[in-house]
Amino acid sequence: MAKRNPIKKHRLFYILLLMIAVLVVLNGRLFWVQVAASRNLTKHHIDLVENSVIQREKGIVLDSGRGDFFDRSGIRLTGKKLSVLTVFPVSHYFPENKKETEDEMRMAQILNVSFEDWSRYIVDLKSPQVWSIAGHPVELSEQQIQQIQALQLPHTAVTQLKQRYNSEPIASQLIGFIGQNPERITRQFTDQFHSGELQLTSEIGGSGLEKSFEPWLQGIGSTSVSLFTDAKRNPLSGLATRIFSPQNDYYPIKVMTTLDAGIQQKVEQIMYKLQVKEGAVVVLDTENADVVAMATQPYFDPEHIDLEKGTWSNKALKAVAPGSIFKTVTAAAALEEHAASLEETFECDGELGKYGLTCWKKDGHGTLTLEEGYAQSCNIVFAKIAARLDGEKLNEYANKLGLGVQVGWQGDLMEQKDFREWDAEEQGQVFSADTPRQDGGVKAQTSIGQRDVLVTPLQAANMVVTLLHEGKVSSPRIVKELRFGNDRVMDTLAPKGVDGLPPSIAPGTAKLLLSWMQNVVDHGTGRGLKKASWPLAGKSGTAQVINKQGEEKVNQWFIGYGPVDKPRYAVAVLVQNMEPDQKNTSIPLFNQVMDALAQQTQ
């Protein structure tokens, strides 16, 4: 047997290795060719998508996707939907033939404008626009919609535009406004900003409920309309306009308020009719302290915000001098601390020389009991009572009745553990921090709601509800629940009381004060209410104030409830910064609001 040549054997081995290497290279090249081909195909696909985007006219946002507010019956307070005409730019001057001319002339007729104005509008159009007049979108009638759709002009489309605020919004200070606030977005909504859900130019709640419920109102995407065109910007046959919208039945969120839209509107009309230039009205449901209406003057348009002018501020939540409505607190303290008996009498000759304090009735009321002093709103009686009280007791009883504290609903709301429903609610006060509370003159002024005392209209109306609930202080709600877009309940704000207050006044004291309020209307300072539709009860107040210009003004108040036999509503009205000699407007305002409530419940 022949012996193998070892050199030949090694040569064969290297040849085999070389062949394997070549195969590896070839396979590798084939692999990368396939990858490259795949990448080129993907790139080609991306190019096609990009081209399709290029061939789509810049869209116009019809709905931001933000959640909306509703009244207690489901009536929209924001987010009214308008049927409008969206118009897209065209690539050439039109019309090019007789039919196009006739169609465009017909469109002009439908829109009630001249053909020349309509032609000029189309020619000048550089981006998609909603047909508007004087800057306001024109809402189309059903007849106009049918006629426009029958024309089938490729550069127009009937669409649904969601208008954030109505042309004549109600409860505008309560609901608030939205606007750009880059600093707050980066500070408060850091996660949403970094994830791209919010941009620096995003509009967020700037005040009111828009601000309080911002985390829930943020939508999941906008709805827009676009027109597909070819490279020459001519509409593509079969594509035309397309609506792009996030498909999610759960969004946007619905915020269901406790407001009654009809009552709210009526209250605002009454304030306008009586020419209330500055003030507030709060209407609460006596059963649970829910806010039925909350109106503020001067008028505020959330579409045109002047931050410096301040008309956006909700005066129902701002604390001002209450005047004699605070005598309700002093009376409660006097009764429970036994500072005076019901039979005791006091003399009023019009002034209390010791402190330079005078009564509104210059020649005095003569001999009065505490009950009559309340009905006649006698300053002298209450100043004498205050001299017998510890200054701290005035503060304590104010707290017992829900004054000097924030009363608006607060608590856990899903992940927001320290949620406050009311934006910018002021706490108010009885004494300033450095005021000597045991000083006789301080106590005299405080007892009649002057000096440092500050109360909000919401607190004042809620104090009436507190008396009707035998001294238990309720926490007024303005929102009762959050719902998903499909109306499934997301969370509920259950009625509750105010935490952290001193023990409440006795039920007997509350009942007695309510009867004294009836005396105010029967033969006291509220006699002008005797002809109201309902039998009413309440307490008047006039507070002397100094405005920003250093001028002497007065705040006119009236708080009360009705009907007396079965109370349904507690109301507080405030007319601010009136001239000292001006006729009282608060009582007619209270009267007409109560008459409107009586009419509404028939």
Side-chain angles (χ1 to χ4, degrees):
M1 184 175 182
K3 196 174 182 179
R4 290 185 178 180
N5 187 340
I7 297 176
K8 187 176 182 181
K9 179 180 178 181
H10 288 142
R11 184 181 299 167
L12 186 62
F13 174 74
Y14 287 123
I15 291 172
L16 182 60
L17 282 178
L18 181 61
M19 291 178 64
I20 292 172
V22 170
L23 287 173
V24 169
V25 171
L26 289 175
N27 285 331
R29 176 174 174 76
L30 178 61
F31 171 76
W32 286 111
V33 167
Q34 289 175 333
V35 169
S38 175
R39 285 182 173 177
N40 288 334
L41 181 61
T42 303
K43 184 178 185 300
H44 178 64
H45 175 70
I46 292 173
D47 289 342
L48 288 176
V49 173
E50 288 178 347
N51 286 337
S52 71
V53 174
I54 292 172
Q55 292 167 357
R56 193 176 77 198
E57 284 290 347
K58 181 181 178 182
I60 183 169
V61 175
L62 301 173
D63 181 355
S64 68
R66 188 175 179 83
D68 287 305
F69 296 96
F70 297 79
D71 87 337
R72 61 183 181 181
S73 299
I75 297 174
R76 277 187 176 274
L77 301 175
T78 60
K80 180 181 178 181
K81 293 186 177 181
L82 307 177
S83 293
V84 298
L85 179 67
T86 299
V87 188
F88 295 88
V90 293
S91 60
H92 60 278
Y93 179 75
F94 74 97
E96 291 188 334
N97 55 54
K98 183 178 180 181
K99 184 180 185 308
E100 284 189 7
T101 302
E102 291 175 349
D103 287 347
E104 298 297 345
M105 291 180 68
R106 178 60 180 147
M107 177 62 82
Q109 291 175 351
I110 294 171
L111 298 176
N112 298 313
V113 295
S114 69
F115 177 62
E116 290 74 17
D117 287 342
W118 173 246
S119 300
R120 190 180 306 112
Y121 176 80
I122 294 297
V123 170
D124 294 342
L125 203 60
K126 304 302 180 185
S127 62
Q129 298 288 337
V130 169
W131 173 250
S132 304
I133 294 180
H136 298 286
V138 175
E139 184 173 11
L140 302 174
S141 67
E142 284 298 325
Q143 183 179 11
Q144 286 177 312
I145 293 172
Q146 293 175 8
Q147 293 172 337
I148 291 171
Q149 290 176 336
L151 276 179
Q152 295 184 332
L153 294 181
H155 60 90
T156 66
V158 175
T159 55
Q160 290 286 305
L161 176 69
K162 192 174 180 182
Q163 193 174 28
R164 185 63 189 169
Y165 304 111
N166 296 335
S167 55
E168 295 182 1
I170 62 172
S172 55
Q173 285 93 348
L174 173 60
I175 291 174
F177 65 88
I178 59 175
Q180 295 181 357
N181 191 328
E183 185 275 331
R184 194 167 137 243
I185 285 176
T186 56
R187 172 175 47 84
Q188 186 176 348
F189 303 106
T190 308
D191 292 342
Q192 292 96 316
F193 174 64
H194 287 304
S195 67
E197 294 176 34
L198 288 177
Q199 288 77 44
L200 293 179
T201 55
S202 296
E203 290 190 319
I204 60 174
S207 71
L209 297 180
E210 294 275 26
K211 184 176 181 181
S212 295
F213 288 88
E214 176 62 34
W216 295 272
L217 292 169
Q218 293 173 11
I220 58 172
S222 62
T223 297
S224 62
V225 61
S226 296
L227 176 69
F228 283 85
T229 65
D230 60 21
K232 295 182 179 180
R233 295 178 66 188
N234 294 313
L236 291 176
S237 178
L239 284 178
T241 57
R242 288 288 184 90
I243 301 292
F244 297 88
S245 177
Q247 300 299 314
N248 192 315
D249 292 338
Y250 289 91
Y251 292 89
I253 297 299
K254 297 180 178 180
V255 181
M256 311 305 295
T257 73
T258 60
L259 289 177
D260 184 305
I263 292 176
Q264 176 73 31
Q265 187 175 43
K266 187 65 177 177
V267 170
E268 292 181 2
Q269 290 172 348
I270 292 170
M271 294 183 78
Y272 178 78
K273 176 184 174 184
L274 291 177
Q275 299 180 355
V276 176
K277 295 180 179 179
E278 192 175 353
V281 175
V282 176
V283 179
L284 300 183
D285 187 325
T286 58
E287 182 179 349
N288 51 16
D290 280 353
V291 177
V292 178
M294 180 178 282
T296 293
Q297 282 285 34
Y299 174 76
F300 165 63
D301 182 356
E303 296 285 8
H304 300 88
I305 306 159
D306 187 337
L307 294 176
E308 292 185 2
K309 195 173 182 181
T311 55
W312 55 272
S313 179
N314 188 351
K315 292 184 178 297
L317 304 178
K318 301 302 178 185
V320 299
S324 293
I325 65 169
F326 190 80
K327 289 173 181 173
T328 306
V329 172
T330 308
L335 291 170
E336 300 222 329
E337 296 298 317
H338 307 290
S341 67
L342 295 178
E343 296 77 19
E344 184 180 2
T345 59
F346 302 85
E347 292 298 322
C348 170
D349 59 7
E351 61 181 353
L352 191 64
K354 186 175 181 181
Y355 303 116
L357 187 144
T358 61
C359 191
W360 66 269
K361 191 174 183 180
K362 293 183 179 180
D363 55 354
H365 287 99
T367 304
L368 295 170
T369 62
L370 177 57
E371 178 179 354
E372 285 303 303
Y374 186 85
Q376 301 301 329
S377 201
C378 177
N379 290 343
I380 305 305
V381 170
F382 280 84
K384 290 180 177 181
I385 291 291
R388 304 175 184 179
L389 290 169
D390 186 302
E392 292 293 344
K393 289 297 179 181
L394 289 173
N395 191 70
E396 178 184 333
Y397 279 88
N399 291 168
K400 284 175 179 281
L401 293 173
L403 305 185
V405 295
Q406 290 180 322
V407 296
W409 198 99
Q410 57 183 289
D412 293 352
L413 190 60
M414 300 183 72
E415 73 277 7
Q416 305 289 326
K417 299 302 181 184
D418 189 26
F419 174 76
R420 291 182 179 273
E421 180 185 13
W422 298 88
D423 170 53
E425 179 195 2
E426 294 184 351
Q427 180 173 314
Q429 66 180 20
V430 177
F431 298 104
S432 294
D434 57 350
T435 297
R437 302 185 181 189
Q438 304 306 331
D439 180 84
V442 169
K443 291 193 294 183
Q445 289 287 336
T446 302
S447 71
I448 61 174
Q450 291 284 171
R451 195 179 170 92
D452 302 336
V453 185
L454 299 173
V455 173
T456 71
L458 177 64
Q459 292 171 338
N462 198 50
M463 180 170 67
V464 178
V465 176
T466 298
L467 296 177
L468 291 167
H469 284 237
E470 300 183 333
K472 180 182 177 182
V473 183
S474 300
S475 186
R477 295 185 303 175
I478 185 59
V479 171
K480 58 182 181 179
E481 62 187 17
L482 300 177
R483 294 182 186 174
F484 289 109
N486 58 10
D487 278 329
R488 178 181 173 184
V489 175
M490 178 183 185
D491 206 350
T492 300
L493 285 69
K496 59 181 293 185
V498 178
D499 298 326
L501 298 181
S504 61
I505 63 173
T509 303
K511 184 177 181 181
L512 188 59
L513 291 173
L514 290 172
S515 69
W516 288 8
M517 287 184 172
Q518 294 178 38
N519 293 339
V520 170
V521 175
D522 182 67
H523 57 272
T525 54
R527 290 189 299 273
L529 298 169
K530 293 183 71 172
K531 294 182 179 180
S533 300
W534 275 341
L536 303 174
K539 181 71 187 81
S540 61
T542 303
Q544 297 174 338
V545 296
I546 303 297
N547 67 9
K548 294 179 180 179
Q549 290 73 39
E551 303 167 327
E552 291 187 5
K553 302 289 182 178
V554 295
N555 292 338
Q556 299 174 352
W557 288 82
F558 201 91
I559 63 173
Y561 63 96
V564 167
D565 54 342
K566 192 176 180 181
R568 298 190 60 173
Y569 299 104
V571 175
V573 305
L574 164 66
V575 183
Q576 286 183 263
N577 293 319
M578 299 285 281
E579 296 295 334
D581 58 351
Q582 269 186 285
K583 186 178 180 180
N584 190 298
T585 304
S586 64
I587 291 178
L589 178 57
F590 183 89
N591 192 342
Q592 292 192 30
V593 168
M594 278 296 190
D595 282 353
L597 292 170
Q599 185 178 10
Q600 191 81 9
T601 55
Q602 288 179 352

